[in-house]
Amino acid sequence: MRASFDIGGQSVKPGHIEVINLPLPSLHSDTTVSMPVHVVHGRKDGPVLFISAAIHGDEINGVEIIRRILSMPSIKRLKGTLLAVPVVNIFGFNSHSRYLPDRRDLNRSFPGREEGSMAARLAHIFMSEIVCRADLGIDLHTAAIHRDNFPQIRADLKDEKLSVLARVFATPVLLHSAPPEGALRRAAADESVPVMVYEAGEALRFDEVSIRVGVTGVLNVMREMSMLPKPKNKKIKKAVLLRTSSWVRASMSGILRATVKLGDMVEEGDALGYISDPASNTDELLTASHSGIIIGRTNIPLVFEGEALFHIGRTRQTSLLEEHLDTLSHEEMLTPPELIEEPAIV
Ligand SMILES: [Zn+2]
């Protein structure tokens, strides 16, 4: 018989699914606050995987991705243990904010400290109760407010285990990136726990395609880790690796009329949009600095000179990328058949 999983001073028996509430600092009103952790402790041995969302409190696509994963009937037959944390930054989530009440960015506060700032304490709780108990982590994000990201995985591909699993997640595109100081995935790597980041969609919005790609990706990783059975005859279309990426910035302050959307392929010199100002009404043409795919963009037309507007990723695997883009445009091809029939969010 497998041992129980101990977390937050409680014990979850094998074959059980429980919600453990980790206590956090309370509000000024003395209202208690806790971070719910869904613990799926399988009957059979296997790896421990954590999935986290809303570390930036306003990035909510991942909250829905986790809800869908937990609602799947097959999750009851999981091998190993799943720690799913739909809302890590409870405080920012409640105030529709990326940040914590102390104005810190939780994803720059890892690994944290027991006796540190509010952000450091929250980071410490997450590190000690979740990250350090896991073999792998998937951290779910969206672009920051007023920005949008094309579904992508970011991971340190020099890590052998991550390199395989990041490709299997099968987002259209995959970016190698070393994590910044204070980020969860940096602190986790220091504890030898590889973590990949899924980035898709906008803050404070649900995006059905981003959610479905995310759900399918998490399931692909769980199957690759043998936590769930692999479906027969199903070949995964692996992610396209981007060699580099760079931002096209606003050449002047003004009002942007974008002419490309996320996922569009552009050639060097192609028009991306026009910037005008209400005083002179002259147009400044914005062009692609290199050929590639639009993987991020601003959604707010009011721009400042120097502001990052379009994120273009470069790749040589153009035909594979086109296959991915074709899949994204067919909703039924994006639906994991394991999911209970649910109406799409529109
Ligand atoms: Zn984020």
Side-chain angles (χ1 to χ4, degrees):
M1 188 72 167
R2 218 184 158 202
S4 295
F5 192 84
D6 296 332
I7 178 170
Q10 294 179 62
S11 193
V12 181
K13 291 195 187 90
H16 284 240
I17 302 176
E18 282 184 41
V19 181
I20 305 294
N21 289 299
L22 300 177
L24 302 180
S26 61
L27 301 183
H28 308 302
S29 52
D30 199 31
T31 307
T32 53
V33 181
S34 58
M35 185 199 299
V37 180
H38 297 256
V39 181
V40 184
H41 192 43
R43 214 175 286 279
K44 290 186 181 157
D45 263 330
V48 179
L49 169 71
F50 83 80
I51 322 172
S52 54
I55 278 195
H56 290 133
D58 59 353
E59 300 181 1
I60 58 175
N61 269 338
V63 181
E64 172 63 10
I65 291 171
I66 290 178
R67 187 192 69 79
R68 291 192 194 182
I69 300 274
L70 290 171
S71 73
M72 290 186 355
S74 60
I75 214 78
K76 295 193 183 84
R77 299 189 298 276
L78 176 105
K79 277 187 197 165
T81 305
L82 174 67
L83 306 173
V85 191
V87 184
V88 179
N89 179 359
I90 292 278
F91 302 95
F93 182 72
N94 277 312
S95 56
H96 304 185
S97 164
R98 175 183 182 89
Y99 302 104
L100 283 163
D102 65 0
R103 291 179 290 180
R104 283 186 168 89
D105 182 332
L106 179 58
N107 210 25
R108 296 292 177 274
S109 306
F110 283 93
R113 215 155 48 84
E114 198 174 359
E115 305 298 326
S117 68
M118 184 192 194
R121 286 172 195 223
L122 216 154
H124 173 78
I125 291 169
F126 193 76
M127 281 302 289
S128 53
E129 292 282 5
I130 309 289
V131 178
C132 293
R133 329 281 292 281
D135 299 302
L136 183 93
I138 303 174
D139 189 24
L140 306 169
H141 286 253
T142 73
I145 191 93
H146 301 314
R147 290 179 176 276
D148 204 352
N149 276 339
F150 191 60
Q152 57 197 267
I153 285 285
R154 295 180 190 173
D156 182 356
L157 300 179
K158 287 180 185 142
D159 181 304
E160 261 174 59
K161 187 172 172 183
L162 262 186
S163 175
V164 172
L165 294 171
R167 283 174 167 82
V168 166
F169 196 103
T171 42
V173 295
L174 166 65
L175 271 167
H176 163 73
S177 79
E181 190 74 45
L184 163 66
R185 67 186 174 105
R186 169 90 161 244
D190 291 343
E191 298 291 336
S192 305
V193 181
V195 172
M196 67 179 95
V197 165
Y198 175 61
E199 282 274 0
E202 294 180 79
L204 295 175
R205 296 280 183 276
F206 274 157
D207 176 61
E208 182 68 22
V209 169
S210 299
I211 291 166
R212 289 190 193 198
V213 173
V215 169
T216 307
V218 172
L219 293 179
N220 287 345
V221 170
M222 289 171 84
R223 288 181 182 129
E224 185 68 24
M225 295 171 80
S226 302
M227 296 177 78
L228 293 173
K230 280 189 189 175
K232 288 181 192 105
N233 309 323
K234 195 172 177 252
K235 222 176 150 264
I236 290 174
K237 206 183 308 157
K238 288 187 183 167
V240 169
L241 177 65
L242 297 180
R243 289 186 295 145
T244 55
S245 72
S246 56
W247 282 91
V248 174
R249 294 178 179 276
S251 48
M252 62 180 265
S253 297
I255 301 162
L256 168 71
R257 283 141 39 219
T259 55
V260 288
K261 58 183 189 306
L262 285 185
D264 278 355
M265 306 282 285
V266 293
E267 296 288 335
E268 185 181 339
D270 279 359
L272 302 177
Y274 303 87
I275 303 175
S276 61
D277 71 67
S280 64
N281 254 337
T282 52
D283 274 347
E284 185 134 327
L285 175 67
L286 209 64
T287 58
S289 50
H290 56 269
S291 303
I293 175 172
I294 308 289
I295 58 167
R297 55 160 283 186
T298 183
N299 276 343
I300 191 163
L302 309 179
V303 300
F304 277 112
E305 182 184 327
E307 202 175 321
L309 303 183
F310 298 96
H311 195 190
I312 305 178
R314 285 184 239 217
T315 183
R316 287 202 186 95
Q317 298 171 280
T318 318
S319 55
L320 178 58
L321 184 54
E322 276 162 1
E323 281 178 39
H324 273 285
L325 295 175
D326 192 42
T327 306
L328 288 189
S329 60
H330 295 89
E331 214 175 68
E332 67 283 6
M333 286 163 76
L334 283 173
T335 311
E338 306 78 356
L339 266 180
I340 312 160
E341 205 49 55
E342 281 192 40
I345 297 172
V346 292

